[in-house]
Amino acid sequence: MDGENSSVDFRHSASGFSPAERHDGWWLVTTSRAQQLPRPSLSLHPSQGVSLGDTVTLRCHLPQPAAWVELFQDGLLRSYKDMDKHQVMAEFSLVCVKLEDAMKYWCQYRVLEPPGVSEKSVPIELVVTDHRYSPPNISISHKKIAEVGTNVTIQCCNQGYGGIIFLHKDGHSAPVQHQEPRGGGTATFILVAVTPADSGTYRCSYHTKASLFVSSPLGDSVTLEVTPTPAPPGAELVSRGNLVVAVVRGCAAALIFGLGIFFVIDAPSLWIQRDESLGREGI
Protein backbone atom coordinates (compact mmCIF):
# COMPACT_ATOMS: atom_id res chain seq x y z
CA MET A 1 0.00 0.00 0.00
CA ASP A 2 1.34 3.42 -0.98
CA GLY A 3 0.03 6.91 -0.27
CA GLU A 4 0.90 10.51 0.53
CA ASN A 5 0.40 10.08 4.27
CA SER A 6 1.94 7.46 6.49
CA SER A 7 0.25 4.10 6.13
CA VAL A 8 0.77 0.59 7.35
CA ASP A 9 0.00 -2.64 5.51
CA PHE A 10 -0.75 -5.71 7.61
CA ARG A 11 -3.02 -8.73 7.91
CA HIS A 12 -4.79 -8.95 11.30
CA SER A 13 -8.36 -9.51 12.32
CA ALA A 14 -10.30 -6.33 12.87
CA SER A 15 -10.68 -7.17 16.56
CA GLY A 16 -7.23 -8.69 17.07
CA PHE A 17 -5.07 -5.74 15.95
CA SER A 18 -5.43 -2.76 18.25
CA PRO A 19 -4.66 0.77 16.99
CA ALA A 20 -4.10 1.55 20.66
CA GLU A 21 -0.51 0.48 20.05
CA ARG A 22 -0.21 3.49 17.72
CA HIS A 23 -2.35 6.03 19.60
CA ASP A 24 -1.30 5.77 23.27
CA GLY A 25 -4.20 3.72 24.52
CA TRP A 26 -6.96 5.94 23.06
CA TRP A 27 -8.60 2.98 21.36
CA LEU A 28 -8.98 0.91 24.53
CA VAL A 29 -10.29 3.84 26.57
CA THR A 30 -12.88 5.15 24.12
CA THR A 31 -14.15 2.11 22.23
CA SER A 32 -17.07 1.54 24.59
CA ARG A 33 -18.29 5.16 24.42
CA ALA A 34 -17.38 6.09 20.82
CA GLN A 35 -20.18 7.71 18.84
CA GLN A 36 -21.37 6.17 15.57
CA LEU A 37 -20.42 8.38 12.61
CA PRO A 38 -21.80 8.49 9.03
CA ARG A 39 -20.37 5.86 6.73
CA PRO A 40 -17.72 6.70 4.12
CA SER A 41 -17.76 5.48 0.53
CA LEU A 42 -15.10 3.38 -1.19
CA SER A 43 -14.27 3.52 -4.90
CA LEU A 44 -11.96 1.43 -7.08
CA HIS A 45 -9.75 2.84 -9.85
CA PRO A 46 -9.82 1.42 -12.44
CA SER A 47 -13.22 -0.05 -11.63
CA GLN A 48 -13.00 -2.90 -14.14
CA GLY A 49 -10.63 -4.64 -16.51
CA VAL A 50 -7.97 -5.20 -13.82
CA SER A 51 -5.42 -7.88 -14.75
CA LEU A 52 -2.75 -9.66 -12.73
CA GLY A 53 0.23 -7.36 -12.26
CA ASP A 54 -1.76 -4.12 -12.61
CA THR A 55 -1.83 -1.34 -10.02
CA VAL A 56 -5.17 -0.51 -8.41
CA THR A 57 -6.11 2.44 -6.19
CA LEU A 58 -8.84 2.27 -3.55
CA ARG A 59 -10.16 5.66 -2.42
CA CYS A 60 -12.06 6.05 0.84
CA HIS A 61 -14.19 9.21 0.66
CA LEU A 62 -15.02 10.70 4.08
CA PRO A 63 -18.03 12.85 4.99
CA GLN A 64 -15.80 14.70 7.52
CA PRO A 65 -12.12 14.92 8.52
CA ALA A 66 -10.77 11.98 10.53
CA ALA A 67 -7.79 11.00 12.66
CA TRP A 68 -7.14 7.86 10.62
CA VAL A 69 -8.78 5.60 8.06
CA GLU A 70 -8.80 1.80 8.00
CA LEU A 71 -9.07 -0.48 4.97
CA PHE A 72 -10.53 -3.95 5.41
CA GLN A 73 -10.03 -6.90 3.09
CA ASP A 74 -12.64 -9.63 3.40
CA GLY A 75 -13.16 -8.96 7.12
CA LEU A 76 -9.47 -8.43 7.93
CA LEU A 77 -7.82 -5.10 8.66
CA ARG A 78 -5.49 -4.73 5.70
CA SER A 79 -4.08 -1.24 6.18
CA TYR A 80 -4.60 2.10 7.94
CA LYS A 81 -3.58 5.67 7.19
CA ASP A 82 -3.08 8.65 9.50
CA MET A 83 -4.91 11.71 8.19
CA ASP A 84 -4.37 15.46 8.26
CA LYS A 85 -7.24 17.37 9.83
CA HIS A 86 -8.42 18.87 6.51
CA GLN A 87 -8.29 15.70 4.41
CA VAL A 88 -11.52 13.96 3.40
CA MET A 89 -10.09 11.20 1.20
CA ALA A 90 -7.59 8.42 1.84
CA GLU A 91 -5.89 6.49 -0.96
CA PHE A 92 -4.61 2.93 -0.73
CA SER A 93 -2.67 1.43 -3.64
CA LEU A 94 -2.34 -2.22 -4.56
CA VAL A 95 0.85 -2.51 -6.58
CA CYS A 96 1.31 -5.53 -8.85
CA VAL A 97 -2.08 -7.11 -8.11
CA LYS A 98 -2.02 -10.81 -7.24
CA LEU A 99 -4.73 -13.46 -7.11
CA GLU A 100 -4.99 -13.16 -3.32
CA ASP A 101 -5.91 -9.47 -3.73
CA ALA A 102 -9.11 -10.42 -5.57
CA MET A 103 -11.84 -10.13 -2.92
CA LYS A 104 -14.16 -7.67 -1.12
CA TYR A 105 -12.93 -4.42 0.44
CA TRP A 106 -14.48 -1.75 2.65
CA CYS A 107 -13.23 1.15 4.78
CA GLN A 108 -14.11 3.08 7.91
CA TYR A 109 -12.66 6.08 9.79
CA ARG A 110 -12.16 7.24 13.37
CA VAL A 111 -12.10 10.67 15.00
CA LEU A 112 -10.56 11.81 18.30
CA GLU A 113 -12.65 14.81 19.44
CA PRO A 114 -15.24 13.78 20.34
CA PRO A 115 -14.23 10.11 20.02
CA GLY A 116 -16.14 8.25 17.33
CA VAL A 117 -16.01 5.48 14.76
CA SER A 118 -17.91 5.37 11.48
CA GLU A 119 -20.05 2.68 9.97
CA LYS A 120 -18.23 0.53 7.45
CA SER A 121 -18.59 1.57 3.83
CA VAL A 122 -20.58 -0.47 1.35
CA PRO A 123 -18.21 -3.26 0.17
CA ILE A 124 -16.73 -3.21 -3.31
CA GLU A 125 -15.36 -6.20 -5.18
CA LEU A 126 -11.96 -6.29 -6.81
CA VAL A 127 -12.32 -8.69 -9.74
CA VAL A 128 -9.01 -9.64 -11.36
CA THR A 129 -8.74 -10.94 -14.92
CA ASP A 130 -6.55 -14.02 -15.28
CA HIS A 131 -5.52 -14.47 -18.92
CA ARG A 132 -4.58 -18.09 -18.31
CA TYR A 133 -8.29 -18.92 -18.64
CA SER A 134 -9.70 -19.29 -22.15
CA PRO A 135 -12.22 -16.62 -23.19
CA PRO A 136 -15.79 -17.94 -23.56
CA ASN A 137 -17.55 -18.57 -26.85
CA ILE A 138 -20.70 -16.63 -27.78
CA SER A 139 -23.56 -17.05 -30.27
CA ILE A 140 -26.78 -15.15 -31.03
CA SER A 141 -30.10 -16.33 -32.45
CA HIS A 142 -30.55 -13.35 -34.81
CA LYS A 143 -27.54 -13.02 -37.05
CA LYS A 144 -28.39 -9.65 -38.56
CA ILE A 145 -31.53 -7.75 -37.58
CA ALA A 146 -34.25 -8.39 -35.00
CA GLU A 147 -37.64 -6.71 -35.09
CA VAL A 148 -39.06 -4.83 -32.11
CA GLY A 149 -40.96 -7.12 -29.74
CA THR A 150 -39.16 -10.35 -30.64
CA ASN A 151 -37.14 -12.45 -28.19
CA VAL A 152 -33.41 -12.75 -28.81
CA THR A 153 -31.28 -15.57 -27.37
CA ILE A 154 -27.56 -15.20 -26.62
CA GLN A 155 -25.59 -18.26 -25.54
CA CYS A 156 -22.19 -18.24 -23.83
CA CYS A 157 -20.00 -21.29 -23.24
CA ASN A 158 -17.05 -21.35 -20.82
CA GLN A 159 -15.77 -24.74 -21.98
CA GLY A 160 -16.61 -26.59 -18.79
CA TYR A 161 -14.89 -24.35 -16.23
CA GLY A 162 -18.14 -23.99 -14.24
CA GLY A 163 -18.80 -20.99 -12.03
CA ILE A 164 -20.83 -17.94 -13.09
CA ILE A 165 -21.13 -16.65 -16.66
CA PHE A 166 -21.70 -12.93 -17.25
CA LEU A 167 -23.22 -11.15 -20.24
CA HIS A 168 -21.70 -7.73 -20.93
CA LYS A 169 -22.92 -4.94 -23.20
CA ASP A 170 -20.47 -2.37 -24.52
CA GLY A 171 -21.03 0.97 -22.82
CA HIS A 172 -22.26 -0.55 -19.54
CA SER A 173 -19.89 -0.70 -16.57
CA ALA A 174 -21.64 -3.70 -14.99
CA PRO A 175 -22.81 -6.96 -16.60
CA VAL A 176 -26.39 -6.83 -17.87
CA GLN A 177 -27.14 -10.44 -16.89
CA HIS A 178 -25.43 -13.38 -15.18
CA GLN A 179 -26.18 -17.05 -14.80
CA GLU A 180 -24.74 -20.13 -13.11
CA PRO A 181 -25.30 -23.02 -15.53
CA ARG A 182 -26.35 -26.39 -14.17
CA GLY A 183 -24.79 -29.54 -15.52
CA GLY A 184 -22.59 -27.81 -18.07
CA GLY A 185 -20.76 -24.70 -19.06
CA THR A 186 -23.36 -23.02 -21.30
CA ALA A 187 -25.52 -20.10 -20.20
CA THR A 188 -28.59 -19.04 -22.18
CA PHE A 189 -29.53 -15.37 -21.90
CA ILE A 190 -32.90 -14.26 -23.30
CA LEU A 191 -33.60 -10.64 -24.20
CA VAL A 192 -37.40 -10.49 -24.00
CA ALA A 193 -39.42 -8.25 -26.36
CA VAL A 194 -36.40 -6.29 -27.56
CA THR A 195 -36.52 -2.59 -28.36
CA PRO A 196 -34.01 -0.33 -30.17
CA ALA A 197 -32.42 0.31 -26.74
CA ASP A 198 -31.23 -3.34 -26.78
CA SER A 199 -29.17 -2.73 -29.91
CA GLY A 200 -25.44 -2.97 -29.29
CA THR A 201 -22.41 -5.21 -28.93
CA TYR A 202 -22.43 -8.09 -26.43
CA ARG A 203 -19.62 -10.20 -24.96
CA CYS A 204 -19.24 -12.80 -22.21
CA SER A 205 -16.89 -13.58 -19.34
CA TYR A 206 -16.97 -16.07 -16.46
CA HIS A 207 -15.80 -16.43 -12.87
CA THR A 208 -14.54 -19.87 -11.99
CA LYS A 209 -15.71 -21.94 -9.04
CA ALA A 210 -12.19 -21.78 -7.63
CA SER A 211 -12.46 -18.02 -7.06
CA LEU A 212 -15.55 -15.91 -7.68
CA PHE A 213 -13.37 -12.78 -7.84
CA VAL A 214 -11.13 -14.09 -10.63
CA SER A 215 -12.45 -13.55 -14.14
CA SER A 216 -11.69 -14.87 -17.58
CA PRO A 217 -10.88 -12.39 -20.36
CA LEU A 218 -13.83 -11.10 -22.37
CA GLY A 219 -14.64 -13.31 -25.34
CA ASP A 220 -15.55 -12.46 -28.93
CA SER A 221 -18.47 -10.13 -29.56
CA VAL A 222 -21.85 -10.36 -31.29
CA THR A 223 -23.86 -7.37 -32.49
CA LEU A 224 -27.61 -6.96 -32.16
CA GLU A 225 -29.53 -4.48 -34.29
CA VAL A 226 -33.19 -3.92 -33.47
CA THR A 227 -35.42 -2.21 -36.05
CA PRO A 228 -39.07 -1.15 -35.89
CA THR A 229 -41.60 -3.69 -37.16
CA PRO A 230 -42.28 -2.99 -40.88
CA ALA A 231 -45.82 -1.94 -41.83
CA PRO A 232 -47.93 -4.68 -43.51
CA PRO A 233 -48.55 -4.43 -47.31
CA GLY A 234 -51.20 -1.82 -48.16
CA ALA A 235 -50.91 -0.11 -44.79
CA GLU A 236 -49.60 3.05 -46.44
CA LEU A 237 -52.57 3.19 -48.84
CA VAL A 238 -55.00 2.62 -45.98
CA SER A 239 -53.33 5.38 -44.03
CA ARG A 240 -53.59 7.79 -46.97
CA GLY A 241 -57.26 6.84 -47.46
CA ASN A 242 -57.97 7.51 -43.80
CA LEU A 243 -56.26 10.89 -44.13
CA VAL A 244 -58.43 11.85 -47.13
CA VAL A 245 -61.60 10.80 -45.29
CA ALA A 246 -60.58 12.83 -42.27
CA VAL A 247 -59.91 15.91 -44.42
CA VAL A 248 -63.30 15.58 -46.22
CA ARG A 249 -65.12 15.18 -42.92
CA GLY A 250 -63.33 18.20 -41.53
CA CYS A 251 -64.27 20.34 -44.52
CA ALA A 252 -67.92 19.22 -44.37
CA ALA A 253 -68.09 20.02 -40.67
CA ALA A 254 -66.61 23.46 -41.30
CA LEU A 255 -69.13 24.12 -44.11
CA ILE A 256 -72.09 23.08 -41.96
CA PHE A 257 -70.83 25.22 -39.10
CA GLY A 258 -70.43 28.23 -41.44
CA LEU A 259 -73.94 27.83 -42.86
CA GLY A 260 -75.34 27.59 -39.35
CA ILE A 261 -73.65 30.85 -38.35
CA PHE A 262 -74.93 32.50 -41.55
CA PHE A 263 -78.54 31.55 -40.88
CA VAL A 264 -78.34 32.64 -37.24
CA ILE A 265 -76.96 36.05 -38.19
CA ASP A 266 -79.22 36.69 -41.24
CA ALA A 267 -82.46 35.21 -39.87
CA PRO A 268 -83.85 38.56 -38.55
CA SER A 269 -83.28 40.32 -41.88
CA LEU A 270 -84.95 37.48 -43.76
CA TRP A 271 -88.04 37.74 -41.53
CA ILE A 272 -88.16 41.53 -42.07
CA GLN A 273 -87.99 41.12 -45.84
CA ARG A 274 -90.77 38.51 -45.66
CA ASP A 275 -93.03 40.85 -43.63
CA GLU A 276 -92.44 43.79 -46.00
CA SER A 277 -93.33 41.59 -48.98
CA LEU A 278 -96.55 40.45 -47.38
CA GLY A 279 -97.41 44.09 -46.54
CA ARG A 280 -97.07 45.22 -50.15
CA GLU A 281 -99.33 42.41 -51.35
CA GLY A 282 -102.04 43.50 -48.88
CA ILE A 283 -101.99 47.09 -50.19
Side-chain angles (χ1 to χ4, degrees):
M1 297 281 180
D2 297 327
E4 295 180 357
N5 298 327
S6 60
S7 62
V8 176
D9 191 357
F10 52 87
R11 300 290 182 91
H12 279 287
S13 69
S15 59
F17 188 94
S18 174
E21 297 173 10
R22 313 188 310 270
H23 294 279
D24 301 327
W26 178 91
W27 170 260
L28 294 178
V29 173
T30 61
T31 295
S32 60
R33 56 187 176 88
Q35 61 174 324
Q36 190 78 13
L37 301 173
R39 71 171 57 190
S41 62
L42 186 63
S43 59
L44 185 66
H45 306 271
S47 60
Q48 57 182 337
V50 178
S51 298
L52 292 174
D54 289 351
T55 295
V56 174
T57 301
L58 296 104
R59 294 174 182 161
C60 188
H61 305 268
L62 312 179
Q64 64 183 70
W68 71 88
V69 177
E70 300 165 339
L71 180 70
F72 293 86
Q73 181 190 50
D74 199 28
L76 302 179
L77 189 56
R78 169 69 183 259
S79 180
Y80 73 88
K81 179 169 290 188
D82 292 313
M83 303 291 289
D84 293 337
K85 61 181 180 179
H86 299 299
Q87 286 185 303
V88 290
M89 184 185 71
E91 286 194 352
F92 302 89
S93 294
L94 296 174
V95 179
C96 194
V97 167
K98 302 176 285 295
L99 287 176
E100 53 264 32
D101 295 321
M103 55 182 62
K104 288 184 178 181
Y105 292 82
W106 59 85
C107 66
Q108 72 179 55
Y109 62 94
R110 303 181 186 275
V111 300
L112 297 177
E113 294 295 338
V117 57
S118 74
E119 296 183 61
K120 293 182 174 67
S121 67
V122 175
I124 61 171
E125 298 177 354
L126 173 56
V127 177
V128 177
T129 300
D130 189 344
H131 291 271
R132 292 174 296 181
Y133 289 103
S134 303
N137 299 322
I138 188 170
S139 62
I140 189 169
S141 59
H142 289 68
K143 297 298 183 182
K144 294 183 179 179
I145 297 174
E147 295 180 1
V148 169
T150 59
N151 294 342
V152 175
T153 300
I154 298 177
Q155 286 191 322
C156 302
C157 177
N158 68 357
Q159 304 173 35
Y161 281 104
I164 303 174
I165 299 179
F166 296 84
L167 179 65
H168 305 263
K169 184 182 180 184
D170 285 6
H172 291 245
S173 59
V176 293
Q177 292 189 41
H178 67 274
Q179 194 177 117
E180 186 172 2
R182 295 181 178 179
T186 300
T188 300
F189 302 103
I190 300 177
L191 307 180
V192 179
V194 294
T195 68
D198 294 309
S199 298
T201 300
Y202 293 83
R203 311 169 195 271
C204 294
S205 69
Y206 59 90
H207 297 181
T208 67
K209 287 185 176 180
S211 175
L212 295 180
F213 300 112
V214 175
S215 174
S216 73
L218 288 172
D220 293 334
S221 65
V222 294
T223 300
L224 173 63
E225 182 180 355
V226 182
T227 59
T229 304
E236 185 176 351
L237 295 177
V238 172
S239 178
R240 288 181 180 177
N242 291 338
L243 178 61
V244 171
V245 171
V247 170
V248 170
R249 287 178 177 174
C251 292
L255 179 60
I256 293 171
F257 179 77
L259 290 175
I261 294 296
F262 173 77
F263 282 117
V264 169
I265 294 175
D266 287 354
S269 61
L270 291 175
W271 283 105
I272 292 171
Q273 292 176 8
R274 177 176 175 276
D275 291 342
E276 290 177 351
S277 176
L278 292 174
R280 290 194 200 101
E281 293 178 359
I283 296 173

